[in-house]
């Protein structure tokens, strides 16, 4: 170790021994704080910076909220600065979010499209600047398209012709794009995604029109030929129209079935057919309505309507009157001059005449209201056919038991639906589907017998099975009852025999005991010594102990005797 390090550590060691505990703790705390500060500085400096999605700040809060919500929907965290600048974590995510925002028209109005493709390049001449600009735009467009989750690779070619003096001689800007979709992607069939890519290219290249953009797949199929997709769009529209008709028919069918099955049960109402003819074309209907003119509104809180209305108002009126009386004299000018009166009027000269003419003109104003509406789709005709089955009843005999035919089937009779019930059901169906006779709607409710042979066969088999089961159960119950009775009789007889045997043994034991006691008494009287057997001596001792216990504990002895009697 060098000498200066040795001297340094020796000085620290000498200072450490001289310092107090408080000074040592302060040194340790300052060292730990310095280490934490250095680690925090390194972590902050090494963390990636935020990349703006749109370089222009967004001042409109509604547009800013829509953009942030759409970015969050992709599972990406968006950071919004105080100036309204939206940023994400890395450049790749920023390119992907820009593509999505352009595809869904979420770029705010007035935002410079070039800000999204802002790339600095050093140039020397205008020609090199234009070439570098074209290359930068092409590269940025390629990167944006590649950032889409449905694109595996892309090749973009943008042609920007030189500007000419006259606009009529100017060649248009063109773009050619070849997409290589990822396996399992639907981008080649999804028109919305192709339109998003087309909008992205149009925003990137100024002066580029949709008709000058060609987007192909790797097989050379043109994907943005929207004019050629009219037949496909028409087919999709027809599918949607058919789907709308099917949904409407299903809704009406569910309503009618629910109404009829609630009245006639689910099993009786099975066959229901509904056919709806719908007009899917858009129609603009214009109509005019003439309403009375309100002169005075109704007084609030009044019990009756005191408003005043008139059919029309007179805005102008003119009257012209012409009256003439005279002899019909027609002057012919100065004397000696031929007059200009036509011959037809000359014949009427010097005749008496009278003319009276009156003309009156009124201009009225009406309260006219014009209504314009679009109707699509509309129902042209509804056809409904329903079948309601009757009721099958089992015939019974005078005792109320079902009548069984020789082949084992139950005899049944069919009760059809009454004509009055069919009429009510027809009215119910008409109300459920909105029946309109002027439109040509038809509703048919019939009573047609449904074949229930399989159902009746199952019911008869179940009836026979239940009948056999009842017979088996009754026989088993009778057998069990007989078995129980026999067991009870056996127990009673056995107990009686056991009691008889016990009474006989007790009687014999009692007699033997009496004989022994008598023998003992006789022996005492005679003063003779009688030799007793060991068995008789033990029995005598037990008897004396039992008598002593009975005298000392009479209650316990009584309980014991009661228990023996209950067991017997």
């Amino acid at each position: 170790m060098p000498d200066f390090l040795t001297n340094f550590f020796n000085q620290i060691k000498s200072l450490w021994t001289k310092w107090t505990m408080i000074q040592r703790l302060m040194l340790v705390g300052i060292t730990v704080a310095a280490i934490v500060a250095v680690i925090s500085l390194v972590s902050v400096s090494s963390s990636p910076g935020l990349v703006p999605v749109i370089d222009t700040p967004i001042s409109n809060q509604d547009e800013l909220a829509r953009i942030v919500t759409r970015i969050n929907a992709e599972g990406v965290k968006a950071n919004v600065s105080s100036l309204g600048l939206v940023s994400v974590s890395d450049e790749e995510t920023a390119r992907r979010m820009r593509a999505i925002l352009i595809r869904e028209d979420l770029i705010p109005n007035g935002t410079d499209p070039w800000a999204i493709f802002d790339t600095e390049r050093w140039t020397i001449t205008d020609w090199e600047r234009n070439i570098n600009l074209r290359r930068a735009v092409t590269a940025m467009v390629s990167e944006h398209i590649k950032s889409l989750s449905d694109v595996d690779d892309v090749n973009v070619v943008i042609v920007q012709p030189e500007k000419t003096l006259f606009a009529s001689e100017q060649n248009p800007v063109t773009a050619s794009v070849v997409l290589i979709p990822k396996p399992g992607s639907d981008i080649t069939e999804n028109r919305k995604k192709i339109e998003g890519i087309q909008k992205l290219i149009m925003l990137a290249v100024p002066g580029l029109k949709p008709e000058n953009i060609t987007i192909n797949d790797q097989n050379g199929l043109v994907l943005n030929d929207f004019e050629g997709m009219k037949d496909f769009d028409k087919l999709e529209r027809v599918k949607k129209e058919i789907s709308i008709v099917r949904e409407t028919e299903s809704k009406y069918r569910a309503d009618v079935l629910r109404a009829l099955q609630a009245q006639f049960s689910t099993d009786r109402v099975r066959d229901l057919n509904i056919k709806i003819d719908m007009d899917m074309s858009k129609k603009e209907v214009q109509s005019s309505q003439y309403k009375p003119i309100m002169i005075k509104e109704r007084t609030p809180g009044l019990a009756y309507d005191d408003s005043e209305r008139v059919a029309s108002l007179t805005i102008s009126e003119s009257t012209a009157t012409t009256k003439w009386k005279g002899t019909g004299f027609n002057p012919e000018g100065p004397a000696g001059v031929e007059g200009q009166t036509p011959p037809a009027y000359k014949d009427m000269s010097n005749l008496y005449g009278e003319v009276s003419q009156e003309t009156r003109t009124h201009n009225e104003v009406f309260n006219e209201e014009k209504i314009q509406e679009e109707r699509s789709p509309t129902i042209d005709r509804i056809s409904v056919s329903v079948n309601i089955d009757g009721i099958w009843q089992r015939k019974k005999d005078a005792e109320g038991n079902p009548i069984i035919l020789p082949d084992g089937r139950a005899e049944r009779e069919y009760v059809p639906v009454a004509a009055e019930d069919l009429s009510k059901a027809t009215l119910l169906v008409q109300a459920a589907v909105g029946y309109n006779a002027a439109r040509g709607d038809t509703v048919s409710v019939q009573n047609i017998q449904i074949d229930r042979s399989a159902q009746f066969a199952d019911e008869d088999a179940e009836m026979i099975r239940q009948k056999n089961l009842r017979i088996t159960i009754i026989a088993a119950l009778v057998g069990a009852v007989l078995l129980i009775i026999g067991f009870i009789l056996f127990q009673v007889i056995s107990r009686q025999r056991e009691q008889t045997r016990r009474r006989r043994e007790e009687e014999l034991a009692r007699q033997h005991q009496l004989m022994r006691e008598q023998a003992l008494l006789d022996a005492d009287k005679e003063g003779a010594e009688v030799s007793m057997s060991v068995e008789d001596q033990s029995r005598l001792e037990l008897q004396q102990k039992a008598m002593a216990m009975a005298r000392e504990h009479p209650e316990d002895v009584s309980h014991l005797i009661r228990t023996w009697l209950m067991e017997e």
Side-chain angles (χ1 to χ4, degrees):
M1 182 180 294
D3 294 338
F4 70 93
L5 290 178
T6 304
N7 296 332
F8 176 73
F9 285 119
N10 291 332
Q11 291 177 1
I12 292 177
K13 187 180 295 184
S14 62
L15 290 175
W16 182 265
T17 55
K18 294 178 182 180
W19 284 350
T20 62
M21 182 59 66
I22 298 175
Q23 291 175 335
R24 294 176 182 178
L25 293 176
M26 290 177 61
L27 178 61
V28 172
I30 293 172
T31 305
V32 172
I35 295 173
V36 171
V38 171
I39 294 174
S40 302
L41 182 61
V42 171
S43 62
V44 170
S45 61
S46 62
S47 62
L50 296 177
V51 179
V53 179
I54 302 175
D55 291 345
T56 304
I58 303 172
S59 58
N60 192 324
Q61 295 300 322
D62 295 337
E63 295 178 350
L64 180 61
R66 286 196 295 269
I67 291 173
V68 173
T69 302
R70 185 63 184 89
I71 294 176
N72 292 336
E74 295 294 326
V76 178
K77 182 179 180 182
N79 297 295
V80 182
S81 65
S82 59
L83 299 177
L85 192 64
V86 182
S87 305
V88 292
S89 59
D90 52 58
E91 181 64 29
E92 183 180 357
T93 305
R95 288 197 299 268
R96 185 164 61 90
M97 293 301 104
R98 291 182 197 130
I100 293 174
L101 296 179
I102 293 174
R103 183 181 67 192
E104 299 186 5
D105 291 331
L106 292 178
I107 300 297
N109 295 329
T111 302
D112 185 9
W114 290 101
I116 301 176
F117 305 95
D118 189 10
T119 306
E120 290 189 8
R121 294 290 185 270
W122 293 96
T123 59
I124 300 175
T125 63
D126 292 341
W127 182 81
E128 289 179 346
R129 183 183 296 109
N130 293 333
I131 293 298
N132 291 336
L133 177 62
R134 186 188 308 171
R135 292 175 59 187
V137 170
T138 303
M140 294 300 293
V141 170
S142 300
E143 290 181 5
H144 275 73
I145 297 176
K146 286 181 182 179
S147 65
L148 299 177
S149 59
D150 297 313
V151 179
D152 191 13
D153 197 4
V154 65
N155 186 8
V156 179
V157 177
I158 299 175
V159 178
Q160 293 179 330
E162 296 182 359
K163 293 184 179 180
T164 59
L165 182 61
F166 300 100
S168 59
E169 299 177 357
Q170 179 68 45
N171 294 324
V173 181
T174 59
S176 175
V177 180
V178 178
L179 291 178
I180 300 178
K182 290 184 178 179
S185 173
D186 64 339
I187 190 171
T188 57
E189 301 174 358
N190 194 321
R191 178 172 179 174
K192 187 175 181 180
K193 294 181 179 179
I194 298 299
E195 288 179 347
I197 295 176
Q198 182 172 296
K199 290 179 182 179
L200 186 147
I201 300 172
M202 289 173 58
L203 284 175
V205 183
L208 186 59
K209 297 181 180 180
E211 59 268 16
N212 296 327
I213 301 175
T214 302
I215 303 176
N216 297 359
D217 62 359
Q218 73 274 20
N219 299 321
L221 180 64
V222 180
L223 302 178
N224 65 331
D225 185 14
F226 302 128
E227 292 293 331
M229 295 176 65
K230 288 183 178 179
D231 294 338
F232 179 77
D233 294 341
K234 182 178 179 181
L235 180 61
E236 291 295 324
R237 186 172 63 254
V238 171
K239 290 182 179 179
K240 291 181 180 179
E241 292 174 357
I242 294 175
S243 177
I244 292 174
V245 174
R246 294 291 178 266
E247 289 179 1
T248 307
E249 291 177 350
S250 299
K251 179 180 179 300
Y252 283 166
R253 187 175 187 275
D255 294 341
V256 173
L257 279 178
R258 184 165 54 251
L260 292 179
Q261 290 177 354
Q263 302 295 329
F264 299 97
S265 77
T266 305
D267 187 56
R268 295 176 58 190
V269 182
R270 299 182 180 180
D271 303 328
L272 173 60
N273 298 315
I274 295 181
K275 180 66 173 67
I276 298 178
D277 298 330
M278 300 186 71
D279 184 8
M280 297 295 177
S281 61
K282 292 185 178 180
K283 294 181 179 179
E284 292 187 1
V285 180
Q286 296 182 356
S287 60
S288 299
Q289 294 182 358
Y290 295 93
K291 297 181 179 180
I293 299 175
M294 181 68 67
I295 302 298
K296 177 186 175 184
E297 296 287 346
R298 179 176 178 176
T299 304
L302 199 61
Y304 59 91
D305 187 5
D306 63 340
S307 61
E308 296 181 5
R309 297 179 177 87
V310 294
S312 63
L313 292 177
T314 303
I315 59 175
S316 64
E317 181 178 359
S318 62
T319 303
T321 303
T322 303
K323 293 184 179 181
W324 172 81
K325 284 185 178 182
T327 60
F329 176 74
N330 294 322
E332 296 184 358
V337 179
E338 184 70 22
Q340 300 298 324
T341 304
Y345 286 97
K346 284 184 178 181
D347 295 338
M348 298 175 62
S349 63
N350 299 323
L351 297 177
Y352 174 81
E354 183 176 355
V355 176
S356 178
Q357 182 180 1
E358 183 176 356
T359 303
R360 188 174 182 181
T361 303
H362 280 273
N363 292 324
E364 303 284 342
V365 63
F366 298 90
N367 187 6
E368 182 181 2
E369 181 180 357
K370 292 185 178 181
I371 301 174
Q372 182 175 357
E373 59 182 350
E374 289 187 359
R375 295 181 180 178
S376 175
T378 56
I379 297 177
D380 289 342
R381 185 171 180 269
I382 299 178
S383 301
V384 183
S385 63
V386 184
N387 177 34
I388 302 177
D389 192 15
I391 301 175
W392 287 92
Q393 295 179 348
R394 292 182 182 179
K395 291 186 176 181
K396 297 183 179 180
D397 53 15
E399 298 179 356
N401 298 321
I403 299 176
I404 306 301
L405 297 176
D407 56 357
R409 295 183 295 106
E411 186 176 0
R412 298 175 175 86
E413 61 177 351
Y414 181 75
V415 180
V417 182
E420 182 180 358
D421 294 338
L422 290 178
S423 300
K424 293 180 179 179
T426 302
L427 295 176
L428 188 65
V429 175
Q430 290 178 354
V433 300
Y435 175 80
N436 187 356
R439 193 171 54 190
D441 297 349
T442 57
V443 175
S444 175
V445 180
Q446 301 293 331
N447 173 212
I448 302 176
Q449 181 177 342
I450 299 175
D451 184 14
R452 299 180 182 268
S453 301
Q455 177 183 346
F456 292 161
D458 294 339
E459 291 178 356
D460 294 339
E462 181 66 18
M463 181 183 64
I464 295 173
R465 188 186 68 82
Q466 291 182 358
K467 181 179 179 180
N468 295 335
L469 181 62
R470 286 195 299 270
I471 294 173
T472 303
I473 291 174
I474 292 173
L477 291 176
V478 170
V481 169
L482 294 177
L483 182 62
I484 292 172
I485 293 174
F487 179 76
I488 293 173
L489 292 176
F490 174 76
Q491 290 291 333
V492 170
I493 295 172
S494 300
R495 185 170 294 178
Q496 291 293 333
R497 295 183 61 185
E498 183 69 20
Q499 290 178 357
T500 303
R501 184 182 62 80
R502 287 183 180 180
R503 283 196 295 268
R504 185 171 59 252
E505 291 178 353
E506 291 175 356
E507 182 65 24
L508 292 175
R510 188 180 61 81
Q511 291 177 3
H512 291 164
Q513 182 66 22
L514 293 176
M515 293 174 62
R516 292 188 190 95
E517 293 177 356
Q518 187 65 34
L520 292 174
L521 293 175
D522 294 341
D524 291 337
K525 291 179 180 180
E526 294 177 357
E529 295 182 358
V530 180
S531 61
M532 298 177 63
S533 64
V534 177
E535 182 180 356
D536 293 337
Q537 290 178 359
S538 62
R539 185 180 295 108
L540 182 60
E541 292 177 358
L542 289 175
Q543 185 176 1
Q544 292 175 353
K545 290 180 180 179
M547 293 174 63
M549 183 179 294
R551 285 193 297 268
E552 294 176 359
H553 306 284
E555 295 181 357
D556 296 339
V557 174
S558 63
H559 286 308
L560 180 60
I561 296 172
R562 190 180 298 111
T563 304
W564 287 347
L565 293 176
M566 290 177 63
E567 290 179 356
E568 293 297 332

